[in-house]
Amino acid sequence: MPTPANQREVSFAVDGDKCAATLYLPPTPGTARPPVIVMAHGLGAVRAMRLPDYAERFTEAGYACLVFDYRHFGDSEGQPRQLLSSRKQRADWLAAIAFARTLPEVDADRVVAWGTSFGGGNAIITAASRPAGLVAAIAQCPFTDGVESTLVLNPVTSLKVTLAGLRDVVGTMFGRPPHMITTAGPAHSTALMTASDAEPGYLALVPPGVEFVNQVAARVVFDILRYRPGRRTGEIDVPILFAVCQTDSVAPAGPTLKYAHRAPHGEICTYVEGHFEIYLGDAFERAVADQVDFLDRHVPIAD
């Protein structure tokens, strides 16, 4: 299928590896260069998993979008595959924003960070880091506290993934390949997400025909436990929208709302749906409409 005229595949370098990305431009160019929304997904996910649907809505509203895959995932480079590192992902975000600002088609001084799920936590950290050009952020069903997210796991699952993580860490000391665990799986399985809606909801985001690996290197369990991006919300000095799912089985709403209220220029939209429902159907329509409204008020398209 040919690529639409307002889309093109691009890439940018991070520590010797290339991150693959898609640049979306408004279908009807205006007289001024548009703001650009830098977008990335969540835990082990790739950009093909519904992010094009958000990008298309944003471009229809007049914004450009740069949607990228993290290193080690999807179409991006990085060995070993399926290695999830919050430190590396934060570096990918900063590199993506720096790259976006070099694109001649966009306004380099009006960049928005947009992240969902684990990527929502990354967007929070990125906004708190105050990279040049960043003027707003959107964090959808964001991961904000590793301890709180770990507590929602069944104790049996917690024990299994911890042992798997230890096996992976020890294996790396002896030069072994990563020990993998499932990203989203059935209840009581050795998986990062095992709530009743996790496996069907996560895999429903994968478009037909897209090859997807539902696994990550097990060592990430220790990274997740230590990662608490919500603690940085008080440092964010740009407008940020928190789109919070009230029945979220992965990123509990309570801690997220607590952290969101600390953001000096934060706004909160809540949805009765769960973590995976916000990407689809009516929940998606309401969420993306709220996000376009936020963008229109804080990062308006020039006449």
Side-chain angles (χ1 to χ4, degrees):
M1 182 179 294
T3 301
N6 66 319
Q7 298 177 25
R8 77 170 191 265
E9 297 305 304
V10 295
S11 65
F12 55 92
V14 193
D15 296 333
D17 290 320
K18 287 184 179 179
C19 280
T22 305
L23 175 65
Y24 296 78
L25 296 170
T28 305
T31 56
R33 291 180 298 174
V36 58
I37 306 171
V38 175
M39 306 175 64
H41 220 310
L43 199 69
V46 297
R47 70 190 196 279
M49 294 166 68
R50 291 290 293 175
L51 295 199
D53 300 85
Y54 289 88
E56 288 168 8
R57 293 303 181 86
F58 295 147
T59 56
E60 288 172 4
Y63 298 88
C65 296
L66 180 71
V67 188
F68 72 94
D69 281 336
Y70 297 111
R71 282 176 290 168
H72 306 279
F73 290 91
D75 296 322
S76 291
E77 296 178 346
Q79 294 292 335
R81 303 305 293 169
Q82 307 304 116
L83 176 64
L84 200 162
S85 161
S86 62
R87 177 185 59 81
K88 286 191 171 187
Q89 290 191 354
R90 293 194 299 273
D92 294 347
W93 269 93
L94 295 178
I97 289 173
F99 172 71
R101 300 187 73 224
T102 70
L103 296 169
E105 301 96 333
V106 309
D107 186 342
D109 294 321
R110 293 203 296 164
V111 181
V112 179
W114 186 101
T116 186
S117 190
F118 201 77
N122 289 334
I124 289 170
I125 293 287
T126 300
S129 302
R130 307 175 186 178
L134 189 77
V135 295
I138 296 174
Q140 177 177 275
C141 55
F143 172 96
T144 56
D145 193 302
V147 173
E148 297 289 348
S149 288
T150 300
L151 289 175
V152 303
L153 283 176
N154 177 279
V156 173
T157 295
S158 292
L159 177 60
K160 287 181 177 179
V161 298
T162 299
L163 292 175
L166 288 170
R167 175 179 172 181
D168 190 27
V169 170
V170 172
T172 62
M173 297 177 183
F174 294 93
R176 296 172 188 160
H179 175 64
M180 298 291 178
I181 58 173
T182 303
T183 308
H188 307 301
S189 65
T190 307
L192 293 180
M193 297 180 286
T194 59
S196 60
D197 63 336
E199 185 179 34
Y202 188 69
L203 297 181
L205 305 181
V206 183
V210 171
E211 293 186 9
F212 176 68
V213 180
N214 183 26
Q215 290 184 324
V216 292
R219 72 196 73 170
V220 71
V221 299
F222 304 114
D223 195 354
I224 288 173
L225 188 62
R226 296 191 302 267
Y227 196 34
R228 308 182 79 178
R231 292 185 166 189
R232 299 285 303 274
T233 54
E235 303 171 38
I236 299 173
D237 59 3
V238 297
I240 179 169
L241 175 65
F242 298 90
V244 182
C245 296
Q246 293 175 317
T247 55
D248 199 314
S249 63
V250 175
T256 297
L257 291 170
K258 177 187 69 174
Y259 289 127
H261 283 295
R262 297 179 183 175
H265 307 288
E267 297 182 18
I268 300 170
C269 288
T270 58
Y271 306 91
V272 296
E273 287 82 8
H275 189 84
F276 302 97
E277 295 172 294
I278 199 170
Y279 300 94
L280 302 165
D282 181 61
F284 164 77
E285 297 293 342
R286 285 182 278 116
V288 79
D290 288 338
Q291 292 168 22
V292 169
D293 173 71
F294 170 84
L295 292 167
D296 185 56
R297 288 184 287 108
H298 295 289
V299 196
I301 301 298
D303 295 330

